[in-house]
């Protein structure tokens, strides 16, 4: 990939070797923290022609206005919920993302959260470390044979389903915006109905205004005191206060979260729940996944600046291009 004389603003953390890949091609300004981000946009905004961000860091309309030469926003990973895509379209800025780049990593992590939650791995580990060997021993349920419910039925959900069926003989059902025509898995019209018939409910849907807080008190009550919630999508899909209450009241058996609404800030009341396993939005952070995401981001950026169509525009931009 030939270097181009383009100023690229990077708004997300990168391992040094991955950052070096970007620096070999672009004039990189690295600003992964809120203050460095604000400073970079204020001091060098008119220079930037490209931004590399992700769904959590996002990019606002006001920030776009401060970068009048901005041509492309490359989103690292699949989700792009905090990028103001409509503002980008109005300013003739293309937005790309990385579908499929971290599917395997996220699916693996989902199974890790499921096993850790159901088998009470974190609480037993903590008890043993505090000297309570005998007290730590629990009669934990078996994951094998449980009923899996999937909220969303994209590539990650399907990978989770494949692992659960083949490895743990789980039955699989799902709820999504529309019924799939290429599967024998049972479709449910609502998240509530799916939760009622699930032992483990995995949230794997995109963050949209329609999916915000779709996992609410009613859905958690339907999941019930023997049920487990796993969220590897976005924190906004789960109503946090309802989850805190359900965990502490024993209205669900446990939860495994890789995402929290408002992250990186995590409510203290949530962290006090003994039946919670939580990781720092790291499901998609395997070496292979990071390499895949960076490679695709570079391909999209290079395509744009060499006059070729980008490979993976977000659907909204693809729709505009096709009109």
């Amino acid at each position: 990939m030939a270097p181009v004389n383009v100023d690229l603003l990077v708004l997300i953390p990168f391992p040094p070797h991955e950052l070096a890949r970007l620096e070999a091609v672009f004039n990189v300004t690295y600003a992964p923290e809120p203050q460095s981000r604000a400073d970079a946009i204020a001091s060098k905004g008119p220079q930037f022609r490209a931004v590399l961000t992700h769904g959590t860091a996002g990019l606002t309309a006001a920030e776009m206005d401060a970068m009048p030469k901005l041509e492309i926003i490359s989103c690292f990973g699949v989700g792009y919920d905090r990028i103001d895509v409509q503002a980008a379209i109005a300013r003739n800025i293309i937005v790309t993302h990385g579908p499929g780049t971290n599917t395997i990593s996220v699916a693996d992590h989902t199974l890790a959260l499921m096993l850790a939650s159901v088998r009470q791995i974190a609480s037993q580990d903590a008890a043993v470390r505090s000297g309570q060997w005998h007290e730590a021993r629990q009669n934990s349920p078996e994951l094998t044979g449980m009923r899996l419910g999937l909220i969303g039925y994209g590539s990650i959900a399907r990978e989770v389903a494949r692992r659960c069926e083949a490895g743990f003989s789980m039955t699989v059902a799902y709820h999504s915006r529309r019924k799939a025509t290429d599967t024998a898995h049972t479709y449910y019209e609502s998240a509530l109905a799916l939760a009622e018939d699930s032992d483990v409910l995995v949230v794997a849907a995109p963050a949209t205004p329609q999916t915000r807080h779709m996992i609410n008190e009613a859905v958690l009550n339907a999941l019930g005191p023997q049920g487990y919630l796993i969220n590897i999508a976005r924190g906004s899909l789960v109503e946090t206060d309802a989850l805190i209450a359900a965990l502490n009241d024993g209205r669900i058996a446990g939860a495994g979260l890789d995402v929290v609404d408002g992250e990186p800030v995590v409510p203290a009341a949530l962290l006090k729940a003994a039946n919670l396993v939580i990781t720092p939005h790291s499901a998609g952070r395997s070496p292979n996944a990071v390499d895949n995401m960076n490679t695709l981001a570079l391909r999209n950026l290079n395509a744009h600046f060499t006059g070729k169509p980008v490979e993976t525009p977000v659907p909204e931009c693809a729709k505009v291009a096709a009109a």
Side-chain angles (χ1 to χ4, degrees), residues 29-281:
T29 297
Y30 185 53
E33 302 297 334
Q35 190 59 57
S36 62
R37 171 178 178 152
D39 291 344
I41 293 173
S43 63
K44 299 174 64 176
Q47 297 175 217
F48 295 121
R49 296 174 62 193
V51 168
L52 182 58
T53 184
H54 56 33
T56 301
L59 197 71
T60 68
E63 289 173 322
M64 295 177 206
D65 286 337
M67 294 181 278
K69 293 183 180 179
L70 186 61
E71 301 174 30
I72 182 170
I73 302 165
S74 182
C75 185
F76 194 77
V78 183
Y80 53 94
D81 39 295
R82 292 185 183 174
I83 298 173
D84 193 333
V85 174
Q86 293 307 316
I89 291 171
R91 291 158 178 77
N92 295 315
I93 301 168
I94 187 72
V95 183
T96 66
H97 67 146
T101 50
N102 61 7
T103 296
I104 299 302
S105 179
V106 176
D108 283 0
H109 197 90
T110 303
L111 266 293
L113 288 174
M114 290 169 62
L115 284 164
S117 298
V118 172
R119 298 296 297 177
Q120 302 179 55
I121 299 299
S123 59
Q124 292 188 65
D125 175 89
V128 171
R129 290 174 187 274
S130 65
Q132 302 177 59
W133 178 273
H134 295 291
E135 297 86 347
R137 300 174 75 180
Q138 302 288 334
N139 288 326
S140 303
E142 297 173 357
L143 189 62
T144 297
M146 284 189 173
R147 300 168 298 171
L148 172 67
L150 297 165
I151 302 293
Y153 201 62
S155 60
I156 292 171
R158 289 172 183 249
E159 280 292 332
V160 172
R162 187 172 66 82
R163 287 160 170 72
C164 289
E165 285 182 308
F168 296 94
S169 301
M170 299 176 74
T171 59
V172 179
Y174 71 99
H175 164 71
S176 63
R177 287 175 297 175
R178 61 184 68 89
K179 184 177 181 180
T181 59
D182 60 347
T183 182
H185 295 152
T186 303
Y187 175 73
Y188 282 75
E189 294 284 348
S190 70
L192 182 67
L194 178 63
E196 287 177 341
D197 284 348
S198 298
D199 299 307
V200 180
L201 189 66
V202 173
V203 183
T208 67
Q210 292 72 37
T211 60
R212 179 170 177 79
H213 290 178
M214 68 182 300
I215 308 301
N216 53 26
E217 181 180 12
V219 171
L220 293 170
N221 286 341
L223 184 59
Q226 306 302 316
Y228 298 84
L229 177 74
I230 308 295
N231 187 6
I232 46 78
R234 285 290 189 267
S236 63
L237 276 71
V238 176
E239 189 175 348
T240 304
D241 288 344
L243 177 60
I244 291 170
L247 287 169
N248 288 317
D249 295 346
R251 285 186 283 112
I252 64 172
L257 307 179
D258 187 52
V259 289
V260 179
D261 202 10
E263 62 184 60
V265 178
V266 182
L270 181 62
L271 295 175
K272 290 178 181 177
N275 48 354
L276 170 73
V277 177
I278 186 167
T279 54
H281 203 152

Side-chain angles (χ1 to χ4, degrees), residues 1 21-22 25-26 294-303:
M1 189 177 294
R21 292 178 64 190
L22 298 170
V25 183
F26 300 103
N294 204 9
T295 297
L296 182 55
L298 278 166
R299 290 208 308 263
N300 278 317
L301 289 166
N302 187 64

